[in-house]
């Protein structure tokens, strides 16, 4: 223990001299206190600039829309391509064409024969566009991690095989197009005419002077 220093009889105290080791310890303690004060000041500034918290218990988990975090916009729900119009339809068709040409046909495009026709202008076949778009949407769903490890197997089994067999059937929508890889061809097959009921309603409307309501 340090020796006690008695004050002199005249009442004046003499300066206390500490060893250098004690001075270094005191200086280190002062530096730590200054560093702690600076860190607390930075934390206070950060809290002051943060958005006000809410009473939600989910704020501590960083969930969007809670504790002042901005909500994330929900992705647009996929729509059947034939429900789209104008530029929206063209953009979706471009994206579908990229997937079909760069992935689907390269990987699963079997040889073109009379039993498995194809068409380089398949975008002109409305029913083929609808089939391939549905296949593409299913692919995006089943390759997502949430679909599990068997997701792509389910896509192959339940979607790919059935869609390709329908689109490239010998009597399917492309049967009048390319049946030989060296002979590009494209022809739209005529669809069935309107039903007799629709034709009769259209004729009756025209006789009464009203514009036709049926599909031609």
């Amino acid at each position: 223990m340090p020796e006690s220093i008695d004050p002199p009889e005249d009442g004046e105290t003499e300066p206390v001299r500490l060893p250098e080791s004690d001075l270094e310890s005191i200086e280190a303690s002062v530096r730590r206190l200054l560093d702690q004060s600076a860190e607390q000041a930075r934390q206070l500034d950060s809290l002051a600039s943060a958005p006000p918290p809410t009473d939600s218990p989910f704020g501590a988990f960083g969930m969007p829309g809670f504790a002042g975090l901005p909500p994330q916009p929900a992705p647009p729900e996929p729509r059947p391509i034939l429900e789209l119009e104008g530029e929206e339809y063209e953009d979706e068709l471009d994206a579908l064409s990229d997937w079909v040409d760069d992935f689907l046909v390269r990987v699963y495009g079997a040889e073109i024969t009379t039993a498995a026709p194809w068409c380089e202008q398949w975008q002109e076949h409305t029913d083929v566009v609808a089939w391939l778009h549905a296949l593409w949407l299913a692919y995006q769903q089943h390759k997502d991690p949430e679909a599990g490890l068997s997701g792509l197997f389910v896509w192959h089994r339940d979607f790919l095989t059935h869609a390709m067999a329908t689109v490239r059937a010998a009597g399917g929508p492309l049967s009048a197009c390319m049946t030989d890889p060296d002979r590009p061809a494209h022809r739209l097959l005529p669809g069935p005419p309107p039903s007799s009921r629709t034709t009769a309603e259209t004729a009756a409307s025209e006789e009464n002077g009203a514009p036709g309501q049926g599909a031609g």
Side-chain angles (χ1 to χ4, degrees):
M1 296 180 61
E3 297 180 357
S4 60
I5 302 175
D6 297 330
E9 295 180 356
D10 57 5
E12 295 182 359
T13 59
E14 295 181 358
V16 178
R17 294 181 174 83
L18 298 176
E20 292 185 0
S21 60
D22 292 344
L23 288 174
E24 293 176 355
S25 177
I26 294 174
E27 290 177 357
S29 299
V30 172
R31 284 196 297 269
R32 284 197 298 270
L33 289 174
L34 291 175
D35 292 340
Q36 292 176 0
S37 298
E39 179 63 25
Q40 291 176 354
R42 286 193 293 268
Q43 292 179 356
L44 290 174
D45 291 341
S46 176
L47 292 174
S49 61
T54 65
D55 297 332
S56 171
F58 300 101
F61 299 96
M63 296 181 64
F66 298 97
L69 295 176
Q72 299 296 323
E77 295 184 0
R79 295 169 56 194
I81 191 170
L82 298 187
E83 292 184 0
L84 307 179
E85 297 179 353
E87 185 176 352
E88 191 176 10
Y89 173 85
E90 294 298 331
D91 291 342
E92 190 74 0
L93 186 59
D94 287 342
L96 173 62
S97 299
D98 291 340
W99 180 76
V100 171
D101 294 340
D102 297 338
F103 173 72
L104 184 67
V105 173
R106 288 180 181 272
V107 178
Y108 305 102
E111 183 182 3
I112 299 173
T113 64
T114 55
W118 186 244
C119 183
E120 293 182 345
Q121 301 180 49
W122 57 265
Q123 294 91 341
E124 302 297 325
H125 299 263
T126 305
D127 48 354
V128 174
V129 170
W131 270 101
L132 295 181
H133 186 256
L135 182 63
W136 181 40
L137 293 181
Y139 175 77
Q140 295 178 69
Q141 176 185 351
H142 286 79
K143 76 182 182 71
D144 190 278
E146 294 184 359
L149 297 178
S150 61
L152 283 177
F153 176 84
V154 174
W155 178 76
H156 282 82
R157 181 194 66 192
D158 295 347
F159 299 91
L160 173 68
T161 303
H162 184 58
M164 295 299 283
T166 301
V167 168
R168 301 191 63 180
L174 305 181
S175 58
C177 297
M178 292 176 63
T179 57
D180 186 329
D182 297 327
R183 296 179 181 177
H186 164 68
R187 184 164 70 89
L188 295 176
L189 298 174
S195 66
S196 300
R197 180 182 179 86
T198 300
T199 303
E201 290 179 351
T202 302
S205 299
E206 292 177 349
E207 290 180 358
N208 294 330
Q213 299 176 354

